Amino acid sequence: MNNSHSKQSEKTFGFNIPDIMPEVVYHYTKYKTLIEIIEGNRLKFSTRNDLNDPFDCDFDMIDFSVTKKNFNNYINKNKPHNIGRTELRNIKNSRKDSIEKLKTGFMNEFNSIGVCCFSTKSDNRLCWGQYADKFNGVAIGMGINIKITKSIIPFFVEYEDDLSQINYFSGEEKTSIGLIFQKKHKDWEHEREFRIVSIKRNGLLEFDKNLLLEIVFGLNETKENILSIKKLLLKNGYNNVKLKKLKKNKLRLEIKPIDH
C-alpha cells in the first residue's frame, strides 16, 4: 500500500489507490440481504449493467477513433513478439475490422469486472433512503484490511463536473478501466463512495469474516430482528461485531450502540 502512485497505477489498471485507507466503509442494503450476507459469507460484486446510474462505468467514455498513422504506431508498439510480417500487414490493412476486434475484447473484459459499493459515512441520509429500504435496512461496516492485487482493487470514487472521453489509442488503454470505474458525475458526490473492484470475477464473492466490523440497524428495526442477527452472527462465526442503531432525535439523526 505504500508503493508510489505511478507504480500502483501501472499495476492496477490506472486506479488511484489511496495511501491511507478508511478504517471502516459502509454497505447499505436491506435487512433480508444482511441475513444472506452473514449466512453465505459473501458480498455481491455487481457488473456495470447493475448500477443505478446509466452514466456510471459507461463504455462511451472510451473513444476508439484513430488515424491510420496512429493506429499503425499502436499496432507496432503492441504487437506480439511472434507475429509475422504478413499477419502484421494484414492487421494494418484491415484497420476497421481490427478496431472492432479490439473493442469487442475490451468490452468483454470490461463487462466481467465486478464492483462492490460502499460509503465512508454510516449516517448518510440519502444512502439510507435510497439503498437501505427507506431507513428500514442496515449499513454494514466493513474493514479494508485487504491485499491489493491486480484482481482486487479498493479506491475512492472521484467526482467530476463533466465526464470526458479518453482515447484508447492515446497510450492510456491500460489505465482506461481505472479511469472509467473511478469517475462519477459530481451529482453523486453526496454518497461519499468507496469501491472495491474484482477485475476477473463478478457475482457473490467470499470475504474474510474478520472484516465485518459493525452493523447499523435502521430506524424501525425491531428488538426481535436485532436479537435474531446477534444469534446468526454467533452461529456463523463472526466475532466482535459491533451492533448499533439509527435513531431520530427531533431533527437530528444519531447512531447509538446496542448493549449486548
Side-chain angles (χ1 to χ4, degrees):
M1 291 186 189
N2 294 322
N3 291 347
S4 68
H5 168 68
S6 59
K7 289 183 180 179
Q8 288 280 30
S9 235
E10 182 183 349
K11 291 181 179 179
T12 52
F13 301 93
F15 288 95
N16 290 328
I17 298 175
D19 292 329
I20 301 176
M21 296 289 176
E23 291 185 6
V24 187
V25 292
Y26 298 89
H27 183 68
Y28 289 83
T29 190
K30 297 179 179 180
Y31 177 84
K32 179 182 177 182
T33 306
L34 170 64
I35 295 174
E36 294 171 354
I37 289 171
I38 293 173
E39 291 181 335
N41 186 213
R42 288 172 171 82
L43 283 169
K44 182 180 180 182
F45 281 70
S46 303
T47 66
R48 67 185 189 92
N49 294 321
D50 296 324
L51 302 176
N52 60 349
D53 175 9
F55 298 95
D56 192 358
C57 304
D58 194 342
F59 191 69
D60 286 335
M61 290 179 70
I62 304 296
D63 175 21
F64 281 89
S65 62
V66 63
T67 64
K68 181 178 180 180
K69 178 181 178 181
N70 287 342
F71 177 75
N72 289 344
N73 288 339
Y74 173 86
I75 295 301
N76 288 333
K77 181 180 178 182
N78 294 279
K79 67 179 184 295
H81 295 297
N82 59 349
I83 192 171
R85 290 184 179 181
T86 301
E87 187 179 356
L88 182 62
R89 184 169 57 250
N90 290 338
I91 292 174
K92 292 179 179 179
N93 290 338
S94 56
R95 177 160 52 106
K96 185 177 180 180
D97 290 341
S98 298
I99 291 173
E100 285 302 315
K101 289 179 181 179
L102 285 171
K103 287 176 69 173
T104 299
F106 185 84
M107 176 68 89
N108 290 339
E109 181 179 20
F110 194 56
N111 286 336
S112 69
I113 295 173
V115 56
C116 194
C117 303
F118 305 84
S119 172
T120 57
K121 294 177 65 65
S122 60
D123 59 352
N124 190 312
R125 298 188 186 203
L126 289 168
C127 288
W128 274 105
Q130 188 167 9
Y131 305 115
D133 196 18
K134 301 176 182 178
F135 285 79
N136 294 309
V138 295
I140 304 171
M142 303 291 296
I144 308 297
N145 185 23
I146 59 176
K147 183 179 180 180
I148 300 172
T149 68
K150 290 184 178 181
S151 298
I152 301 294
I153 307 168
F155 57 91
F156 290 102
V157 168
E158 298 175 357
Y159 301 97
E160 296 188 349
D161 290 325
D162 291 295
L163 299 176
S164 56
Q165 285 187 314
I166 55 175
N167 189 277
Y168 184 84
F169 299 99
S170 65
E172 296 182 337
E173 74 279 358
K174 292 181 181 179
T175 64
S176 55
I177 289 177
L179 292 171
I180 294 172
F181 273 84
Q182 194 153 17
K183 305 292 184 183
K184 287 187 73 170
H185 195 277
K186 201 168 185 178
D187 286 349
W188 295 88
E189 192 171 19
H190 63 272
E191 292 188 348
R192 307 284 183 86
E193 191 173 353
F194 187 90
R195 288 178 166 177
I196 301 175
V197 297
S198 170
I199 295 296
K200 296 181 179 180
R201 296 176 60 198
N202 57 65
L204 296 174
L205 303 184
E206 189 173 334
F207 62 88
D208 182 346
K209 289 183 177 181
N210 292 319
L211 295 180
L212 202 166
L213 302 179
E214 64 182 79
I215 298 171
V216 183
F217 293 93
L219 289 173
N220 300 314
E221 198 55 82
T222 64
K223 291 181 179 180
E224 290 77 16
N225 280 349
I226 293 173
L227 180 59
S228 177
I229 292 299
K230 285 183 180 180
K231 293 178 180 178
L232 196 64
L233 289 168
L234 292 174
K235 178 182 176 181
N236 286 276
Y238 294 88
N239 301 313
N240 303 317
V241 179
K242 295 179 181 178
L243 301 183
K244 301 179 181 180
K245 180 80 163 54
L246 202 65
K247 293 185 179 292
K248 184 176 180 293
N249 183 0
K250 294 184 179 180
L251 297 179
R252 295 199 308 273
L253 193 63
E254 298 178 345
I255 294 176
K256 300 290 186 179
I258 296 174
D259 295 331
H260 287 272

